[in-house]
């Protein structure tokens, strides 16, 4: 068989999806035509199509060794490395590829994918835009840019990208899955649920589609529906770590007794320092606590958080520098910008440490007919980052620019709304900028016993790197000390503008504290504010289950049986900032 006919046979099999045949022909070609780079490239494509990305990468490297100018092999190798979670290495390859082929839309798409994996959503969106400029009809590039824009808080633009992808292909399951979350964040909950349901209808075995549907149901308060979806996922993928973790949180002890052996089998095959291993340890910790097995509970939490700390190490020095910079930028002696009050509804920022009661407080306030709860908005933090990280003056012009861009990204609010709630907890870092830009904004600061907060955090699986300090008890104490110092600073800079609400007071006197909240906001108190369990609105945070119950104080003092486990945290708290805690 000639070289041309062998190449033609491999290409034909590839176009027909017959990957075993492709691999067989490619290996035969490599023996007969040892210097031809196309055959190891074919072999790599065949292996990658079967999910064998590590083996595939070896063949792509062989092809490049035979011909260093072989752009297809370099692109294919980059894609394999991205799938192997080696995006940093892939970026190096892709930069070299695009130097030689700057008009390669696939190369720009892959660069965007690698940048997104490296935590650079803005650069990823730019790369996806470049890919689309070269070829406008690319649903995958639209999906990539939409995901990046959603991470940047540009929910409306993200939705537009996903909608364009769906115009090109109405049955694009990835676009349907992707569009569901930003629709929910824009308070378009019925559309969000419809998109997730359609994705599952089109692809019943698509795990991400079922996961998104399950989470949308959970956020909407349909725990039984969510549980059914997670069970279906386990039926399709018995060791699915996220489904196991979510079921463990939803299940009572009896159901978790049946789930435990499934979780233990899955843990045996999960890489030790991986997010899947962390999820499974969190699930097993929940089961151990239900069973009253404190040592196992502590052990699983230590392993879960240890895995995540390995994946997302905490930078304590950088953290300290950031807080000092915030203090310096906004201080009592500095001339503050006198920004005019923006028109439209006034923001209420409910903030504090995560797990301090921000979701409960948002639910109380959101029960008022003149208030619209918007959950945790990433937008302010994203928009303010360039000013705060690069020492750019936050002057009158910058203030006006921030407000305009922030308000552009608000969802359509119902008639009669006077206030909207942003309950991103870590907005406490941004109080200086927020009160400069929105001088009439209301700030509600949730306070809670730090030991109860620490226990709650230690049991929680947060997404992303922003809360990496929660995976190390000493790092957690470090951040808590910075937080307490910064809040004292804000009180001195903005006296009387920040309402401190003690979580313990709120859960023991919800009537009185909800009235106090209404008074601070400037609202006439309504009875529903004292009954968050009546709320039917979706909840897009880890607290979705808790706030649908009548207010209770069962979690107050819950740290006490686990004092030994929390010792590295408790001993790290500054007694000047947390008086009485070590002796409490």
């Amino acid at each position: 068989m000639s070289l041309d006919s062998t190449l033609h046979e491999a290409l034909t099999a590839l176009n027909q999806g017959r990957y075993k045949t492709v691999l067989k022909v490619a290996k035969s070609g490599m023996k007969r035509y040892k210097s031809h780079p196309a055959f190891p490239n074919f072999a790599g494509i065949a292996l990658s199509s079967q999910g064998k990305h590590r083996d595939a990468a070896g063949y792509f490297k062989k092809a490049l060794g035979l011909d260093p100018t072989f752009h297809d092999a370099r692109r294919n190798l980059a894609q394999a490395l991205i799938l192997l979670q080696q995006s940093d290495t892939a970026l190096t390859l892709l930069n070299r590829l695009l130097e030689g082929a700057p008009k390669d839309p696939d190369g720009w798409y892959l660069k965007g994918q690698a940048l997104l994996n490296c935590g650079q959503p803005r650069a990823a969106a730019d790369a996806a835009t470049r890919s689309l400029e070269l070829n406008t009809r690319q649903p995958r590039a639209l999906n990539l840019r939409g995901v990046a824009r959603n991470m940047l808080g540009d929910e409306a633009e993200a939705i537009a990208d996903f909608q364009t992808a769906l115009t090109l292909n109405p049955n694009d399951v990835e676009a349907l899955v992707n569009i569901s979350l930003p629709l929910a964040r824009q308070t378009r909950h019925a559309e969000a649920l419809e998109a997730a349901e359609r994705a599952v209808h089109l692809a019943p075995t698509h795990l991400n589609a079922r996961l998104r549907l399950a989470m949308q149901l959970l956020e909407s308060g349909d725990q039984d529906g969510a549980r059914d979806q997670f069970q279906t996922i386990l039926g399709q993928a018995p060791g699915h770590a996220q489904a196991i973790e979510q079921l463990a949180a939803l299940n009572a002890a009896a159901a978790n007794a049946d789930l435990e052996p499934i979780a233990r089998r899955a843990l045996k095959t999960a890489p030790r320092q991986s997010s899947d291993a962390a999820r499974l340890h969190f699930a097993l910790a929940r089961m151990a606590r239900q069973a009253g097995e404190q040592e196992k509970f502590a052990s699983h939490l230590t392993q879960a958080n240890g895995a995540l700390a390995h994946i997302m190490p905490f930078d304590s020095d950088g953290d300290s520098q950031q807080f000092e910079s915030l203090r310096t930028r906004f201080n009592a002696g500095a001339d503050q910008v006198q920004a005019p009050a923006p028109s439209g509804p006034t923001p209420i920022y409910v903030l504090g440490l995560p797990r301090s009661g921000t979701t409960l407080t948002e639910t109380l306030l959101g029960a008022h007919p003149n208030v619209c709860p918007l959950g945790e908005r990433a937008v302010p933090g994203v928009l303010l980052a360039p000013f705060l990280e690069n020492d750019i003056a936050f002057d009158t012009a910058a203030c006006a620019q921030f407000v305009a861009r922030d308000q552009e990204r608000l969802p359509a609010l119902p008639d009669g709304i006077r206030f909207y709630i942003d309950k991103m907890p870590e907005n406490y870092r941004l109080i200086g900028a927020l009160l400069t830009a929105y001088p009439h904004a209301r700030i509600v600061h949730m306070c809670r016993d730090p030991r109860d907060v620490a226990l709650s955090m230690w049991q929680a699986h947060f997404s992303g790197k922003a809360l990496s300090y929660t995976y190390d008890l000493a790092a957690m104490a470090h951040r808590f000390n910075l937080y307490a110092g910064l809040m004292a600073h804000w009180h001195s800079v903005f006296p009387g503008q920040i309402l401190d609400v003690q979580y313990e007071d709120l859960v023991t006197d919800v009537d009185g504290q909800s009235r106090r909240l209404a008074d601070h906001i400037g609202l006439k108190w309504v009875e529903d504010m004292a009954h968050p369990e009546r709320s039917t609105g979706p909840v897009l945070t880890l607290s979705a289950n808790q706030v649908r119950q009548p207010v209770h104080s069962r979690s107050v003092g819950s740290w006490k049986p686990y004092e030994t486990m929390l010792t590295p945290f408790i001993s790290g708290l500054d007694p000047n900032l947390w008086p009485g805690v070590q002796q409490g």
Side-chain angles (χ1 to χ4, degrees):
M1 186 179 289
S2 69
L3 171 62
D4 287 344
S5 61
T6 305
L7 289 169
H8 179 74
E9 183 182 3
L11 184 60
T12 300
L14 182 63
N15 290 336
Q16 294 173 350
R18 295 184 289 117
Y19 301 117
K20 290 182 179 180
T21 301
V22 174
L23 186 60
K24 181 179 178 181
V25 174
K27 286 184 174 180
S28 174
M30 280 188 285
K31 290 179 181 178
R32 296 178 63 188
Y33 308 101
K34 292 181 172 59
S35 63
H36 203 296
F39 293 111
N41 188 52
F42 275 129
I45 294 171
L47 288 165
S48 193
S49 298
Q50 297 175 62
K52 300 176 181 178
H53 307 299
R54 195 170 303 280
D55 293 338
Y59 282 103
F60 294 136
K61 289 176 183 177
K62 182 177 179 65
L64 279 172
L66 294 171
D67 180 3
T69 67
F70 194 176
H71 290 315
D72 282 350
R74 182 167 284 107
R75 189 193 306 112
N76 291 337
L77 175 57
Q79 185 167 29
L81 290 172
I82 289 170
L83 292 168
L84 289 168
Q85 299 182 4
Q86 298 177 34
S87 291
D88 286 335
T89 307
L91 273 175
T92 302
L93 282 170
L94 289 164
N95 286 333
R96 183 175 175 186
L97 169 74
L98 292 168
E99 285 175 7
K103 294 186 177 181
D104 180 352
D106 293 334
W108 282 105
Y109 165 77
L110 288 172
K111 182 174 181 178
Q113 197 174 46
L115 286 165
L116 193 68
N117 291 349
C118 291
Q120 302 180 55
R122 194 172 299 282
D126 291 343
T129 297
R130 180 67 178 132
S131 180
L132 288 163
E133 288 170 351
L134 295 166
N135 179 3
T136 58
R137 300 184 65 82
Q138 283 192 89
R140 68 175 187 169
L142 287 162
N143 271 303
L144 174 64
R145 188 171 68 178
V147 169
R149 285 175 164 176
N150 190 46
M151 290 176 67
L152 291 166
D154 295 336
E155 291 153 2
E157 293 182 10
I159 290 169
D161 277 339
F162 299 138
Q163 287 174 331
T164 303
L166 288 167
T167 300
L168 294 173
N169 176 14
N171 295 332
D172 186 337
V173 174
E174 294 298 328
L176 287 166
V177 173
N178 288 335
I179 201 172
S180 177
L181 182 57
L183 283 171
R185 294 199 179 281
Q186 288 276 303
T187 70
R188 296 161 64 177
H189 302 293
E191 294 173 75
L193 181 59
E194 181 182 357
E197 288 176 335
R198 177 161 171 73
V200 169
H201 174 75
L202 289 168
T205 60
H206 193 294
L207 296 180
N208 282 339
R210 284 207 179 271
L211 273 174
R212 182 59 218 142
L213 176 56
M215 294 308 297
Q216 183 64 35
L217 291 167
L218 187 60
E219 291 154 6
S220 301
D222 185 357
Q223 294 187 20
D224 290 339
R227 189 181 288 106
D228 288 345
Q229 293 300 324
F230 290 129
Q231 291 284 14
T232 300
I233 291 168
L234 276 187
Q236 296 172 350
H240 197 283
Q242 189 172 352
I244 292 171
E245 182 184 34
Q246 291 292 340
L247 280 171
L250 286 169
N251 285 345
N256 271 340
D258 295 331
L259 184 62
E260 182 178 0
I262 298 172
R264 292 195 178 282
R265 283 196 298 271
L267 187 59
K268 289 180 180 179
T269 60
R272 184 169 173 269
Q273 299 281 38
S274 67
S275 57
D276 276 354
R279 289 185 182 281
L280 293 164
H281 279 299
F282 278 124
L284 288 164
R286 156 82 173 172
M287 298 170 193
R289 188 174 187 183
Q290 285 177 323
E293 298 173 325
Q294 290 193 24
E295 289 187 10
K296 287 184 179 180
F297 171 68
S299 174
H300 284 300
L301 287 183
T302 298
Q303 292 177 81
N305 286 290
L308 293 174
H310 175 79
I311 297 168
M312 295 174 281
F314 176 65
D315 178 8
S316 61
D317 290 339
D319 210 41
S320 297
Q321 291 170 12
Q322 181 193 74
F323 275 69
E324 184 55 35
S325 174
L326 289 168
R327 232 191 287 254
T328 303
R329 290 289 295 273
F330 302 93
N331 62 70
D335 293 331
Q336 298 297 328
V337 173
Q338 298 299 312
S343 59
T346 301
I348 302 170
Y349 296 104
V350 179
L351 43 77
L353 289 168
R355 315 301 289 169
S356 63
T358 55
T359 302
L360 173 60
T361 303
E362 181 193 38
T363 307
L364 297 179
L365 290 169
H368 197 285
N370 299 133
V371 178
C372 184
L374 298 182
E376 297 178 358
R377 298 183 67 236
V379 176
V382 171
L383 294 179
L384 289 170
F387 297 101
L388 302 180
E389 293 173 4
N390 301 314
D391 202 27
I392 300 171
F394 197 59
D395 54 19
T396 302
C399 241
Q401 181 188 69
F402 163 71
V403 170
R405 291 181 176 177
D406 185 39
Q407 293 190 332
E408 282 174 3
R409 289 160 174 77
L410 286 172
L413 300 176
D415 292 339
I417 292 299
R418 293 173 50 207
F419 299 92
Y420 66 85
I421 306 172
D422 178 346
K423 61 135 299 213
M424 178 66 78
E426 297 228 341
N427 275 342
Y428 71 80
R429 298 176 301 112
L430 310 178
I431 286 176
L434 294 174
L435 281 178
T436 301
Y438 292 105
H440 300 302
R442 310 300 199 264
I443 306 288
V444 177
H445 170 222
M446 294 305 301
C447 310
R448 188 181 181 189
D449 187 313
R451 295 161 295 190
D452 279 336
V453 175
L455 177 62
S456 186
M457 284 182 171
W458 197 235
Q459 298 176 78
H461 186 179
F462 298 102
S463 61
K465 298 180 179 179
L467 298 178
S468 59
Y469 67 90
T470 66
Y471 304 130
D472 181 292
L473 289 169
M476 204 187 295
H478 171 85
R479 170 56 78 91
F480 278 40
N481 290 335
L482 292 175
Y483 149 80
L486 187 61
M487 285 310 305
H489 173 74
W490 293 138
H491 274 293
S492 69
V493 177
F494 302 102
Q497 291 183 253
I498 301 169
L499 178 70
D500 288 340
V501 177
Q502 196 68 35
Y503 173 82
E504 291 80 2
D505 294 339
L506 182 62
V507 297
T508 54
D509 181 17
V510 66
D511 187 279
Q513 290 298 313
S514 63
R515 290 176 186 273
R516 182 168 171 254
L517 282 164
D519 184 63
H520 175 71
I521 303 302
L523 294 167
K524 183 179 179 180
W525 182 83
V526 297
E527 185 184 354
D528 280 349
M529 292 179 66
H531 295 280
E533 73 278 7
R534 296 176 183 173
S535 173
T536 58
V539 179
L540 305 180
T541 70
L542 285 171
S543 303
N545 292 334
Q546 292 102 309
V547 297
R548 301 193 189 282
Q549 306 169 18
V551 175
H552 60 80
S553 59
R554 291 192 297 272
S555 61
V556 174
S558 58
W559 64 274
K560 292 178 181 178
Y562 307 103
E563 183 173 7
T564 300
M565 179 179 73
L566 296 173
T567 294
F569 166 77
I570 297 171
S571 62
L573 292 176
D574 184 338
N576 295 314
L577 295 169
W578 303 97
V581 167
Q582 273 81 6
Q583 292 76 35

